[in-house]
Amino acid sequence: MLKIEGLTASVDGKAILKGIDLVVPDGEVHAIMGPNGSGKSTLSYVLAGRDGYEVTGGSAAFDGADLLAMEPEARAAAGLFLAFQYPVELPGVNNANFLRTALNAQRRARGEAELDAVQFLKLSRAEAKRLSMPDDMLKRNVNVGFSGGEKKRNEVLQMAILRPKLAILDETDSGLDIDALKIVADGVNALRGPATSALVITHYQRLLDYIVPDRVHVLAGGRIIRSGGPELALELEASGYASVVAEAA
Amino acid sequence: MSESATLETLNAVTATPYKWGFSTDIEMDMAPKGLTEDTIRLISARKEEPAWLLAWRLEAFAVWQKMEEPDWARVKHPPIDYQDLHYYAAPKKKAGPKSLDEVDPELLRTYEKLGIPLKERAILAGVEGADGEGDRPQVAMDAVFDSVSVATTFKATLAKAGVIFCPISEAVREHPNLVQKYLGSVVPQSDNFFAALNCAVFTDGSFVYIPPGVRCPMELSTYFRINARNTGQFERTLIIADAGSYVSYLEGCTAPQRDENQLHAAVVELIAHDDAQIKYSTVQNWYPGDAEGRGGIYNFVTKRGDCRGARSKISWTQVETGSAITWKYPSCVLRGDDSVGEFYSVAVTTNYQQADTGTKMIHIGRNTRSTIVSKGISAGHSNNTYRGQVKVMPKAHGARNHTQCDSLLIGSTCGAHTVPYIESRNPTAKLEHEATTSKIAEDQLFYCRQRGLSEEDAVGLIVNGFCKDVLKELPMEFAVEAQKLLAVSLEGSVG
Ligand SMILES: Nc1ncnc2c1ncn2[C@@H]1O[C@H](COP(=O)(O)OP(=O)(O)OP(=O)(O)O)[C@@H](O)[C@H]1O
Ligand SMILES: [Mg+2]
């Protein structure tokens, strides 16, 4: 699914990612943990193709294609989805209209038939219901006036409707109450399948009780300093990053 | 991409060449260049006008000669040589065609480029019987092809309701009393430089009269186009809604591309009597000039509505994307007690376009209310100014105004300016003014693109969201057209 080799990247001339190697096979869920400022969001932006995040070396292949050469919208159409750590507000833009435009743009790019308004309404209502989200979230303007938790849930709703092959969730669990956390986990678990993968960035082991990862990686100082099974998250929860970082140094 | 690269993309997007640039070759009957009393006599004679109108024109001309071009607007242009223009041009008269095959193919191609549906093309071209049963919502169109209305349609349906909708030159002949009573009663000859010029030389435009208690059975629409080389356009529109009546009028236009600046000085007068409502919507897309700012239409328009009767209401909605220079302040004089004035505007400027637009709300009657929603979008090297006046006269007890004025900047080389003039001479008046300026943020674009939208679609979506409060005031069909127009106008300008 995703194969990252020796990836280095800088922002405003400052090196942030200092050589990332990471392979996420089809059907696997990997968790990335790490101290604040270690480069987790930077990695997600680089993978999604954000302007200003300059790749200075290495490669990233997505289903064999050169991910780094693609425009952000082409990456989305190819099946890469990023749930933002800080979802962006779009004043005056209706959530349902935004999502339908996005979904149809992706479908067009993949040579699939577009959904008409009725088909989309059905799909979006069904997904909202499955995730126990109120219908009116679809009618409101994208993230405008949403609470922190609602914004995160809206990211999960978008993910459910867009059905990506690779979902990157950047701290989608932060700021969620316990019920919402389960909803987010359900959203990710519903996507799980032999041909889909997820990269879950989180600070809390708690989420990983619901989304059990195949692998856990520790990102510190722009490098992955340790990888392991789900038990690594428990270890971090118990002893913090300091010992892991010291060990790697 | 870095921020500067982003800006470049933005600029490339806004710098889309004018999509509807074309010029039609049709034989013209033209007056020689220049403006004298003789020119005015010639226009009046060609139009077979009564003596009072000629006298009225000549009065206006005398006033105009003593006036100076205003210079207070934030627009710059080389001096206009008013003697170097043709003041009259008319397509040569032909008998009405029997079918589309008989219509000048040039004209049909023009309509095709404008994206006018086939059926409407026939109607516009004046093909007999083309205005029968239609599968589209009914829209009556009075096509102004250059200065002479080539076709007026849906006349029968309108006549049944007692509605008069015709070229103003026809109204002068057929309904002289109405025209004489109302012409210049809202925008007098001496109102301003461009209005005075219009009074002297106007060649055509539309006339609408809705009788008491009648709800006009269809939207009224006019396609204005400027087509003759070096021909100034001086449209005159007069709309009267008698007591308790309602009318919605749509005005839209695109113009052929050309390299010389063209002057356009229209006057629109609206009169609403007791309990009457007039909704006037405009989508304006005249040639804005090339990427360096050469060419393009100079649009100096005087639009004013008079809420003459109690509880009357006039709404102006405009989407302005074209012209090199826009100088335009659709206004409402709230004379009747409890009358309501509204102004909803989207003005887009790109490249080197200049727009100085806004409104005036003059509160005279008691409990008069006005709403102003202005959305300015600037990109490239353009300048976009909102200039609005709210004036409350001493007798306007309980007057209310709410003004919302938002600017959206695309890139860092454009300008947005807000110039509100507020004058209240009645202590019971409540006036609110809110203004915001924002930019299309990089994170908004990235968010949209991450979901699969192209940069252009993302800009379109964000801009349409920004303009929503105005677009929702447009009649349905027009709103869709306007959304497309916004996207096309800003193509290439955002990154
Ligand atoms: N535009 C920028 N200019 C300079 N430094 C930046 C910029 N953007 C990010 N950084 C720096 O890059 C480093 C990595 O940031 P990043 O957001 O990727 O961290 P993170 O691992 O996601 O942290 P958190 O857990 O707090 O979300 C930080 O030190 C941050 O300050
Ligand atoms: Mg982060």
Side-chain angles (χ1 to χ4, degrees):
Chain A
M1 175 73 57
L2 180 66
K3 188 173 185 198
I4 304 171
E5 281 180 305
L7 183 65
T8 59
S10 60
V11 182
D12 279 344
K14 183 180 159 204
I16 311 283
L17 300 184
K18 296 172 182 162
I20 305 271
D21 294 289
L22 178 66
V23 177
V24 183
D26 289 359
E28 290 196 3
V29 172
H30 288 207
I32 294 187
M33 305 182 81
N36 293 133
S38 58
K40 303 182 297 296
S41 293
T42 303
L43 175 63
S44 70
Y45 290 146
V46 167
L47 293 176
R50 185 167 188 163
D51 283 355
Y53 289 73
E54 199 190 340
V55 175
T56 49
S59 65
F62 183 44
D63 270 347
D66 180 2
L67 186 66
L68 303 178
M70 295 156 80
E71 291 294 326
E73 57 268 36
R75 301 181 197 200
L80 184 142
F81 177 90
L82 171 61
F84 284 58
Q85 184 174 0
Y86 305 107
V88 178
E89 298 185 3
L90 301 176
V93 180
N94 172 277
N95 213 5
N97 182 37
F98 171 68
L99 263 173
R100 183 158 87 94
T101 313
L103 179 62
N104 280 336
Q106 291 196 16
R107 294 180 69 97
R108 240 189 345 264
R110 294 193 291 257
E112 299 164 9
E114 296 184 29
L115 297 192
D116 65 29
V118 177
Q119 291 169 316
F120 178 79
L121 198 69
K122 252 193 193 157
L123 169 72
S124 58
R125 284 221 179 119
E127 292 297 342
K129 195 169 170 204
R130 209 167 52 77
L131 296 168
S132 323
M133 293 190 196
D135 264 4
D136 89 308
M137 206 170 229
L138 284 160
K139 292 182 199 139
R140 291 165 66 180
N141 291 336
V142 181
N143 295 325
V144 177
F146 283 29
S147 75
E150 284 172 342
K151 284 183 183 172
K152 298 297 179 77
R153 287 162 70 150
N154 193 35
E155 295 291 285
V156 176
L157 176 62
Q158 295 186 30
M159 181 180 78
I161 289 169
L162 294 172
R163 305 210 137 266
K165 275 204 241 170
L166 172 66
I168 303 172
L169 291 94
D170 190 356
E171 295 196 31
T172 306
D173 55 330
S174 295
L176 288 185
D177 62 46
I178 216 59
D179 295 340
L181 188 72
K182 283 184 193 151
I183 289 170
V184 168
D186 287 348
V188 175
N189 289 328
L191 276 182
R192 280 180 114 150
T196 54
S197 308
L199 202 53
V200 180
I201 298 170
T202 182
H203 284 297
Y204 305 106
Q205 145 67 24
R206 198 181 52 169
L207 176 69
L208 305 180
D209 286 340
Y210 299 105
I211 307 172
V212 181
D214 296 286
R215 301 283 291 165
V216 176
H217 308 277
V218 179
L219 184 62
R223 286 190 186 87
I224 289 177
I225 56 166
R226 218 178 125 184
S227 299
E231 70 288 347
L232 177 56
L234 290 167
E235 184 192 327
L236 290 169
E237 179 96 335
S239 55
Y241 292 114
S243 61
V244 182
V245 173
E247 218 173 274
Chain B
M1 265 192 288
S2 67
E3 181 164 336
S4 68
T6 302
L7 284 183
E8 270 165 38
T9 322
L10 237 162
N11 288 330
V13 179
T14 14
T16 310
Y18 186 68
K19 283 223 167 141
W20 294 301
F22 46 79
S23 188
T24 309
D25 262 324
I26 287 183
E27 282 182 276
M28 288 283 174
D29 167 17
M30 256 191 206
K33 276 184 180 176
L35 181 54
T36 62
E37 283 203 4
D38 286 342
T39 322
I40 293 165
R41 285 177 203 284
L42 176 128
I43 292 170
S44 195
R46 284 289 159 90
K47 297 267 165 199
E48 298 160 36
E49 287 175 355
W52 68 264
L53 189 50
L54 174 61
W56 191 80
R57 286 176 180 280
L58 292 172
E59 248 173 66
F61 181 57
V63 172
W64 179 72
Q65 281 180 304
K66 294 195 200 90
M67 292 174 115
E68 291 202 3
E69 218 182 286
D71 60 359
W72 43 262
R74 193 187 282 268
V75 295
K76 283 198 205 99
H77 56 82
I80 299 166
D81 183 355
Y82 293 92
Q83 297 304 334
D84 194 36
L85 296 169
H86 293 281
Y87 285 86
Y88 182 75
K92 283 196 175 152
K93 281 236 166 77
K94 288 176 192 162
K98 297 280 177 291
S99 75
L100 272 181
D101 300 339
E102 286 179 34
V103 176
D104 188 326
E106 272 295 312
L107 187 56
L108 290 181
R109 266 195 292 277
T110 303
Y111 291 153
E112 196 180 327
K113 278 183 264 185
L114 283 164
I116 294 169
L118 208 64
K119 180 160 179 61
E120 281 178 28
R121 286 180 216 167
I123 296 168
L124 281 168
V127 175
E128 287 166 29
D131 53 352
E133 293 284 285
D135 43 5
R136 311 182 73 248
Q138 287 204 320
V139 177
M141 250 169 301
D142 166 26
V144 177
F145 181 64
D146 266 358
S147 310
V148 168
S149 290
V150 181
T152 300
T153 56
F154 288 102
K155 268 205 150 149
T157 320
L158 293 173
K160 218 184 281 171
V163 171
I164 303 169
F165 176 37
C166 65
I168 197 155
S169 48
E170 188 183 317
V172 168
R173 289 191 303 270
E174 308 286 325
H175 311 282
N177 295 342
L178 280 176
V179 176
Q180 193 167 9
K181 179 171 171 192
Y182 289 104
L183 186 73
S185 72
V186 186
V187 181
Q189 293 137 303
S190 58
D191 190 82
N192 69 70
F193 181 84
F194 298 109
L197 179 63
N198 176 286
C199 291
V201 302
F202 75 87
T203 43
D204 224 319
S206 298
F207 176 84
V208 177
Y209 173 78
I210 317 290
V214 170
R215 193 180 167 88
C216 185
M218 61 183 72
E219 308 264 5
L220 301 181
S221 149
T222 305
Y223 283 81
F224 292 101
R225 294 191 305 116
I226 301 177
N227 211 323
R229 212 173 173 75
N230 279 335
T231 304
Q233 284 277 301
F234 304 95
E235 312 284 355
R236 185 97 195 178
T237 299
L238 180 55
I239 300 177
I240 303 133
D242 218 322
S245 68
Y246 170 87
V247 63
S248 166
Y249 186 91
L250 321 180
E251 170 205 338
C253 57
T254 61
Q257 181 156 4
R258 53 197 323 115
D259 40 10
E260 276 148 278
N261 292 312
Q262 276 195 312
L263 176 65
H264 188 95
V267 171
V268 176
E269 295 179 280
L270 311 182
I271 296 118
H273 287 288
D274 286 357
D275 300 294
Q277 259 193 60
I278 302 175
K279 193 172 164 59
Y280 192 105
S281 314
T282 307
V283 172
Q284 187 269 112
N285 180 28
W286 284 335
Y287 181 52
D290 65 16
E292 274 75 51
R294 281 184 302 257
I297 307 288
Y298 291 179
N299 192 21
F300 299 97
V301 190
T302 305
K303 287 184 165 174
R304 193 172 307 150
D306 188 355
C307 284
R308 212 163 274 184
R311 297 166 304 279
S312 57
K313 178 175 174 182
I314 290 179
S315 306
W316 298 101
T317 306
Q318 58 173 30
V319 175
E320 303 277 326
T321 66
S323 298
I325 295 177
T326 302
W327 181 98
K328 182 177 175 185
Y329 315 90
S331 306
C332 296
V333 181
L334 304 170
R335 213 180 293 280
D337 288 348
D338 302 295
S339 60
V340 176
E342 294 175 335
F343 174 74
Y344 299 97
S345 167
V346 171
V348 180
T349 54
T350 65
N351 294 325
Y352 285 87
Q353 276 179 284
Q354 308 172 62
D356 194 303
T357 181
T359 184
K360 278 189 222 166
M361 294 289 172
I362 314 292
H363 293 256
I364 298 173
R366 301 172 73 94
N367 298 316
T368 45
R369 281 166 292 146
S370 60
T371 302
I372 298 171
V373 179
S374 160
K375 304 278 180 176
I377 301 164
S378 357
H381 296 270
S382 67
N383 255 306
N384 204 326
T385 301
Y386 166 80
R387 190 181 299 277
Q389 184 181 34
V390 177
K391 193 170 182 175
V392 179
M393 305 304 273
K395 290 190 179 140
H397 298 289
R400 299 271 180 281
N401 165 266
H402 183 81
T403 299
Q404 175 75 46
C405 195
D406 301 318
S407 309
L408 186 68
L409 301 175
I410 300 176
S412 55
T413 50
C414 53
H417 318 275
T418 300
V419 192
Y421 306 90
I422 297 168
E423 185 187 338
S424 179
R425 293 204 249 148
N426 185 305
T428 64
K430 280 218 177 87
L431 313 177
E432 301 163 345
H433 181 98
E434 285 175 53
T436 66
T437 301
S438 53
K439 277 191 147 196
I440 293 192
E442 182 275 333
D443 63 347
Q444 291 177 318
L445 285 177
F446 174 60
Y447 191 68
C448 293
R449 295 180 74 188
Q450 205 306 301
R451 298 300 184 250
L453 296 172
S454 68
E455 191 162 89
E456 283 175 16
D457 287 350
V459 170
L461 206 66
I462 293 167
V463 165
N464 278 309
F466 174 74
C467 301
K468 199 180 194 171
D469 293 343
V470 173
L471 297 180
K472 72 174 170 31
E473 295 297 324
L474 287 173
M476 194 54 189
E477 315 190 357
F478 237 29
V480 174
E481 231 174 83
Q483 282 194 13
K484 275 190 214 149
L485 189 57
L486 285 179
V488 169
S489 312
L490 288 166
E491 237 168 59
S493 70
V494 184

